[in-house]
Amino acid sequence: MPIPAYSRSCQCRVRPSNWPQMNKRFYITTAIDYVNGQPHLGHAYEKVITDVIARARRSFGQEAFFLTGLDEHGQKVQQAAQSEGKQPQAYCDELAAQWQAFIVKLGIANDDFVRTTQPRHKAVVQAMLNKLHARGDLYKAPYRGWYSWKEETFLTEKDRRPDGTFDPSWGEVKELVEENWYFRMAKHQPWLIEFIEANPAFVQPDSRRNEVLGFLKSRTLEDLCISRPAARLNWGIPLPFDLDYVNYVWFDALSNYYSVPVALGDAEAAAPLNGFYKPTNSQPSTLNPQLRLWPADIHVIGKDIVRFHAVYWPIMLKAAGIPLPKQVLVHGWWQKDGQKMSKTTGNVVDPIGVINEWGVDAFRFYVLRELDIGPDGNWTDAGFKSRYQAELANGLGNLVNRSLSMLKRYRNGVVPARSDELALEATKVVAETRSLLEQNQLQAVLQTIWSLVARANQYVDQTAPFKLAKDPAQAKRLDEVLYNLAEVCRVLAVLLWPFLPGTAAKIYAQLALKETPDKFAAATWGLLSAGHTIGEPAPLFPRKDV
Ligand code: MSP
């Protein structure tokens, strides 16, 4: 049997083994962004793919919980706040408001927004630290590193220039030794290798899984430094067993995925922390007590932070007796015009600017259609415009507009008797969409959906309803064609809802259907009733002079 085009181009992604599971909410997360960073295309992409996966599960009738948020502690935040003469919390609050507005702009339907400065998060981090300390997993030892006195921060190997020196902008850089707290790592290496080998779904795509295994097999893991002296850095969560220190950021940041379920009252999630955790009660629980949240089903992250999620995070959890997440799903990085995006070269893509000009669904469509989850992507303005014009305006937009306009013109907007001429083709696309969505193959779903768009546009050209309308003897044939077209538009709205929720809702509104197209079951052919009167057609994606 020939392999469909999309499976040749995509690396096959394995479903998390618990899909779908009773008594468990589908729980998906994004990385939490550095609060002092500038929201850009990369952040937007990660949130959009996560949103589509979460919406797809909801559309299948599963209860899904989507968490995103902000990473707010650390030296850089403390320094930036200081330089603006602000308290770090006030500084973070201002930036957090911008990030939350960014999420709204992207059409993201998240269920919660975590900030690592929230008391609910801190309480769980401190409980985890206390448990690990009580079990003897943490110890204090001298930390040796290259310290920039000017920037008040340790530098890493990544900060070195190709010739091995540090940029003069760091000021004087000297080797410094200070006591810190460490987390014992090496004893965890054997089980983690075995676990990742036995669970191909844990890190996806496979190329990333191999990378993690290669890393784990090629060295002995160094113990992880999890503290900084409070005298030097106080913008962090205090180590509850040694108040001279604060928790160093990655331990704090990774814990957000687990702290929120615990804080929201997932009793099973909290059980491993019995005796260590005191709820802050800062938020009343909104969870259905019948449905557990933890473990996370999918952590969506970018390729630069795989090691933290696929090595340190599972070790932290296992050491604390907490069940591991089901999957770390790794996406690639976006470039602009073949170059790393950077403010200095000015080649950044500003998602908000694009959305203001072209609409949020045009932005979502381009990033989802252009880049499969895994490889790196390249944004070009010409590519964006060309997809907008060809696939949105001339493809989907034209199909819906001419189908509904003809129904309006020739039949006064009244849906004729059911006809099944396109039923088989539509039903095949519906089945493929479902299966690809279950494997998070989002780009392939759009390819398959657009095969139906193309087929329906071809059907208009082949059946030529504008000619049929001129011949009264062809009235029955015209009815058939108009039903098939209107019904394809309706089915497309349901399939598109996770990707382009606004567009899907517009199609339903133009069809004068009262429901929201957010239930996959509604993609069943033939649900559009004869005799129903549709609403006013209007262009979905106005053509632009480009
Ligand atoms: N705060 C840490 C993550 C902690 S998660 C427990 C962090 N923040 S970040 O703001 O730098 O990055 C957030 C996410 O955006 C990461 O998954 C990162 O890979 C992603 N991206 C940042 N730049 C990107 C591109 N140019 N392209 C695609 N995604 C990129 O790391």
Side-chain angles (χ1 to χ4, degrees):
M1 207 172 78
I3 307 167
Y6 47 78
S7 43
R8 262 184 270 125
S9 63
C10 299
Q11 284 160 302
C12 178
R13 274 182 291 279
V14 187
R15 263 177 226 180
S17 51
N18 70 337
W19 198 95
Q21 204 187 48
M22 303 300 283
N23 307 327
K24 168 83 176 68
R25 236 164 132 162
F26 177 80
Y27 176 32
I28 189 163
T29 64
T30 65
I32 50 171
D33 305 313
Y34 289 124
V35 70
N36 55 331
Q38 189 65 29
H40 63 55
L41 173 61
H43 305 121
Y45 174 68
E46 184 168 302
K47 291 180 206 317
V48 168
I49 55 180
T50 310
D51 187 52
V52 175
I53 298 173
R55 283 177 189 265
R57 303 301 163 126
R58 294 186 193 120
S59 172
F60 296 158
Q62 222 180 335
E63 277 210 51
F65 190 88
F66 172 6
L67 179 68
T68 186
L70 292 173
D71 192 350
E72 301 193 351
H73 288 127
Q75 189 94 29
K76 289 200 174 127
V77 175
Q78 181 174 310
Q79 282 166 347
Q82 245 162 26
S83 71
E84 291 189 21
K86 290 177 182 154
Q87 288 302 317
Q89 189 64 62
Y91 172 77
C92 289
D93 291 349
E94 278 171 30
L95 293 174
Q98 286 174 26
W99 280 97
Q100 279 171 305
F102 184 58
I103 282 173
V104 171
K105 193 93 192 163
L106 293 167
I108 301 298
N110 56 311
D111 295 275
D112 203 333
F113 190 85
V114 62
R115 300 178 54 193
T116 52
T117 51
Q118 288 165 338
R120 61 172 183 167
H121 169 73
K122 291 186 195 171
V124 177
V125 172
Q126 290 193 324
M128 287 171 77
L129 286 165
N130 265 336
K131 180 163 182 185
L132 294 174
H133 183 245
R135 288 172 42 117
D137 285 312
L138 309 179
Y139 67 94
K140 209 170 176 179
Y143 178 89
R144 181 182 294 273
W146 293 96
Y147 191 74
S148 151
W149 293 93
K150 182 171 160 235
E151 296 297 332
E152 295 178 23
T153 186
F154 276 102
L155 303 181
T156 65
E157 288 309 311
K158 271 209 238 157
D159 297 312
R160 282 189 197 275
R161 297 189 293 189
D163 66 358
T165 60
F166 292 106
D167 193 274
S169 62
W170 292 112
E172 188 186 15
V173 178
K174 269 192 168 173
E175 207 173 17
L176 181 78
V177 181
E178 66 182 26
E179 289 263 288
N180 265 309
W181 282 90
Y182 285 86
F183 184 168
R184 293 180 211 284
M185 286 281 138
K187 65 174 177 186
H188 293 283
Q189 220 160 332
W191 75 255
L192 185 57
I193 293 176
E194 243 174 69
F195 176 78
I196 295 177
E197 283 185 330
N199 293 278
F202 183 63
V203 184
Q204 281 295 308
D206 278 338
S207 53
R208 297 293 170 201
R209 178 169 163 264
N210 293 336
E211 187 184 298
V212 173
L213 282 172
F215 171 77
L216 280 170
K217 287 178 178 176
S218 65
R219 74 203 71 206
T220 304
L221 279 178
E222 278 181 32
D223 292 343
L224 187 70
C225 183
I226 59 143
S227 74
R228 287 294 183 262
R232 202 162 61 64
L233 167 69
N234 59 32
W235 190 234
I237 301 177
L239 295 191
F241 47 83
D242 187 347
L243 295 175
D244 289 340
Y245 290 87
V246 298
N247 187 209
Y248 190 53
V249 290
W250 272 98
F251 189 102
D252 168 4
L254 288 162
S255 305
N256 88 86
Y257 304 130
Y258 170 72
S259 70
V260 170
V262 171
L264 289 179
D266 178 341
E268 265 188 71
L273 297 185
N274 276 349
F276 295 95
Y277 173 64
K278 276 194 256 39
T280 54
N281 282 334
S282 60
Q283 268 202 346
S285 176
T286 51
L287 290 184
N288 174 348
Q290 305 301 317
L291 292 177
R292 286 188 300 131
L293 261 184
W294 190 259
D297 291 84
I298 306 183
H299 292 314
V300 179
I301 56 155
K303 65 177 185 178
D304 57 321
I305 54 176
V306 176
R307 204 168 291 167
F308 291 103
H309 286 79
V311 176
Y312 300 122
W313 179 225
I315 291 177
M316 281 166 60
L317 290 168
K318 173 94 167 181
I322 301 165
L324 304 192
K326 300 290 170 196
Q327 185 167 85
V328 176
L329 182 58
V330 186
H331 64 77
W333 265 40
W334 280 92
Q335 293 192 324
K336 165 98 196 289
D337 301 325
Q339 283 186 329
K340 191 175 185 290
M341 285 186 286
S342 116
K343 263 201 266 175
T344 37
T345 50
N347 67 334
V348 283
V349 177
D350 166 25
I352 296 180
V354 175
I355 291 170
N356 286 342
E357 190 175 349
W358 299 85
V360 62
D361 280 358
F363 175 81
R364 289 172 67 112
F365 177 76
Y366 178 73
V367 293
L368 292 159
R369 176 62 187 78
E370 184 67 23
L371 184 58
D372 187 24
I373 302 176
D376 286 338
N378 186 31
W379 177 291
T380 64
D381 291 344
F384 176 88
K385 287 173 190 164
S386 140
R387 283 203 187 281
Y388 180 92
Q389 208 72 345
E391 287 157 82
L392 293 178
N394 296 339
L396 177 67
N398 189 32
L399 172 69
V400 174
N401 199 245
R402 57 183 178 161
S403 300
L404 303 193
S405 300
M406 289 189 292
L407 182 54
K408 194 92 192 163
R409 193 171 324 128
Y410 305 138
R411 292 293 178 265
N412 234 349
V414 180
V415 176
R418 172 171 168 169
S419 160
D420 293 344
E421 208 170 347
L422 293 179
L424 233 105
E425 282 155 291
T427 304
K428 189 166 156 272
V429 167
V430 171
E432 271 173 15
T433 298
R434 174 152 194 143
S435 149
L436 291 166
L437 277 175
E438 286 171 357
Q439 298 165 69
N440 307 321
Q441 300 215 9
L442 310 185
Q443 184 192 47
V445 177
L446 290 180
Q447 282 166 330
T448 210
I449 294 177
W450 255 258
S451 74
L452 184 59
V453 170
R455 171 67 188 109
N457 268 325
Q458 179 200 48
Y459 179 77
V460 177
D461 299 338
Q462 285 170 347
T463 57
F466 25 87
K467 284 191 196 145
L468 298 175
K470 291 188 185 132
D471 179 0
Q474 296 286 355
K476 185 155 179 299
R477 179 63 187 141
L478 180 59
D479 279 348
E480 285 168 6
V481 171
L482 292 175
Y483 184 90
N484 278 282
L485 288 174
E487 181 59 345
V488 161
C489 292
R490 193 191 64 79
V491 170
L492 283 170
V494 177
L495 300 183
L496 283 170
W497 182 78
F499 300 83
L500 314 179
T503 302
K506 278 186 198 162
I507 299 175
Y508 253 45
Q510 293 184 21
L511 283 164
L513 295 170
K514 286 186 195 66
E515 312 82 37
T516 311
D518 60 356
K519 310 230 167 3
F520 200 83
T524 310
W525 181 268
L527 295 183
L528 188 61
S529 321
H532 169 78
T533 305
I534 65 161
E536 277 310 309
L540 294 171
F541 300 98
R543 287 198 182 83
K544 300 203 183 213
D545 292 328
V546 285

